[in-house]
Amino acid sequence: EVAFTSNGVWYKLKGTGSILTATTCLDGMISDFQSFDTQISVFTGSCNNLECITTNNQFCGDQSKVDWFAKSDQDYFILVHGFQSSN
């Protein structure tokens, strides 16, 4: 379930026919994300008809990570957003 309750940033990419990863987990790195509770959601479809194919919250502490098989040449929309009231 995707809860759009906080600010976020959209990314768009084309599938490569392989497993892709989107993450805010930064092993050993200092980042502004460390104090920001993130959620990642991946969609296919068009702007007026998006379908969520995967979502994650709390993969590594308050950070998120998703893996999915990205079909070749298919458009994917990735939303990195705050969870609940994080912004």
Side-chain angles (χ1 to χ4, degrees):
E1 180 177 321
V2 180
F4 297 108
T5 57
S6 199
N7 295 331
V9 177
W10 286 93
Y11 298 90
K12 179 182 176 184
L13 60 87
K14 284 226 181 265
T16 60
S18 63
I19 294 174
L20 298 181
T21 300
T23 184
T24 57
C25 301
L26 302 171
D27 296 332
M29 297 179 69
I30 297 173
S31 167
D32 291 336
F33 278 129
Q34 290 176 342
S35 62
F36 184 75
D37 188 357
T38 64
Q39 185 169 344
I40 300 174
S41 304
V42 179
F43 301 86
T44 58
S46 62
C47 289
N48 295 328
N49 189 24
L50 292 175
E51 177 184 347
C52 183
I53 60 168
T54 188
T55 189
N56 178 261
N57 180 44
Q58 307 289 324
F59 181 84
C60 52
D62 282 341
Q63 307 311 301
S64 304
K65 176 184 172 188
V66 292
D67 299 303
W68 76 100
F69 182 80
K71 296 177 185 175
S72 290
D73 295 322
Q74 181 166 339
D75 288 333
Y76 291 90
F77 302 91
I78 302 169
L79 176 60
V80 179
H81 52 113
F83 181 72
Q84 293 182 347
S85 63
S86 294
N87 57 34

